[in-house]
Amino acid sequence: MKKGYHYLFICLLLVALPLSAQLVNGNFENGDLTGWNTAGTSVVEVLVGTNFSPTIPQPEGSYYCLLSTGPDDQGGAGTDIDGNGVNEFDIARLSQTFTTPIDDDVITFRWGMLSREADQPAFYDDIFHVTIDGVVVLSGSANKPGGISSYPDSPPYDGLNYTITSTGPTDGSWFWDTVSDGFSGFATFSIMIPTAGAHTIEFLVADQGDRLYDSGLLIDEVLLNSSQDIFQMTNTSGSKVEAKGGGLVWTPAESRSAAISDDGLTLAFTSNGDFGTGNPNVQLQVFALENGAYQRLTSMTDGSASRPSLSADGRYVAYSATDDPAPAGTPHNNDLNQEIFIRDRTLTSPVQITDTAVVGCANTSPSIGGAASDRVAFQTTCSDLPGVSGDTTVVAWNGAAFQALAVATGCTSRNPEISADGRYVAFISDCDHTGGNGDANLEVFLWDLQTPAVSQITASSAAEGHANDSVDISTGAAELVFVSNADYAGDNADQNYEVFVW
């Protein structure tokens, strides 16, 4: 995490609670500002993607909301909002008072900043912020070197020139001047609200130091965890009948293992459905879903694919497959071993990472990371990979070479998860990698690919029936999350399987 931003990585399935939180029209799907209040200049409007030229796709649904400092000068007195001694102008506000039915509820929303201030003098450093009950919980300023605002820079802009055509107050706003301006893209923010009751959220955007150059704040999916439901993202149908072993085998179309990008905008999953992409043999393929559009990433006619993993931005997908026809001149998987592939969704063909030949061995459970999405960790039983004995172990690929854990025979290391920066791998193992797992229990380990040291994170007792599983990792390995039935924090005396964070 950088500059005070906190991101929530949203799961595909969100469990509904029996109590409903009173936050109205948080995703703006009414097509208007029902439930919301505007103030300041009130240059706030619910838009669709095509109100922007070029189009900015909605993160979900049909609508989102824009707060704009423009078009141009909207008038009104200046106020020093960020406390740096320079007044802000053209201040647009959007707020709603809502009720949380439970303590420790979590409010989540998507946001993105637009601006044409990137190459303007440092004095003109437009801002936005979000408050809960008057306390600033998220803030940002125009992305520019040396800007004077005390708020951190927003993420970089895409360099595109955006104008708005609408029937409301944001009509004529424009967010471009140089190739450095444009839109930051959407990020997801969440924060816990400790106590049940009435609370107010307010979004604000303002010009700093001038009244001319427009900036904007796009908002969508303002949701409370206590009001979120389970959303069905796929709808498979159909089946096939095959003659096998002297009889007929019926195979229904269904969808399986799913992954989600860090920004929550892209899903990957395996399915033998069609989704309008073509899959006549009901073959288990890898699909991606983004902005309501499906993309079939594999073209298998034999075998199957499993366990996709998405890069942080959703562009790259790593997966395991037993067959994946590739163009002439590239490796093919004719022996039907399970191999690891990476597919750049902007290209038409995958890259085959492993090409093992030991009969019956398997490379599975890939996890993708790295700044260029060129780091993949996976588990393997293939002894023709460097440093692999044939027992299930963890291997990392750095874009050019393989790096295996130190050989430990007669035990297993599995379920690797690589950090987004590609440096650390968390995994589960009953091996004694550090001298601290003499009872061969399933423990959580952390592997630093750079040093390359292995640390044992958990130390539970196999004799007492403890086990650890399902580990995941944050960027830079600042936190690990895992499932365990041990009593690490003094609150799990009944030894149920619970979620822990290290």
Side-chain angles (χ1 to χ4, degrees), residues 25-33 36 44-67 94 110-112 114 162-166 170 175 183 185-186 217-222 265 291:
N25 192 27
N27 56 6
F28 306 101
E29 290 305 297
N30 284 4
D32 56 30
L33 290 170
W36 294 92
V44 181
E45 188 175 3
V46 174
L47 303 173
V48 297
T50 53
N51 286 125
F52 284 88
S53 179
T55 298
I56 297 179
Q58 303 90 331
E60 61 82 39
S62 300
Y63 298 94
Y64 43 36
C65 184
L66 175 69
L67 294 76
L94 174 72
R110 305 281 185 92
W111 67 274
L114 298 115
Y162 291 99
T163 57
I164 294 177
T165 302
S166 72
T170 68
F175 307 101
F183 181 46
F186 283 103
L217 180 65
L218 264 177
I219 298 294
D220 200 7
E221 285 193 287
V222 187
L265 301 181
N291 294 325

Side-chain angles (χ1 to χ4, degrees), residues 115 133 147 174 206 273 315 413-414 419:
S115 185
D133 299 333
W174 54 302
R315 174 174 173 175
S413 298
R414 55 178 175 80
S419 60

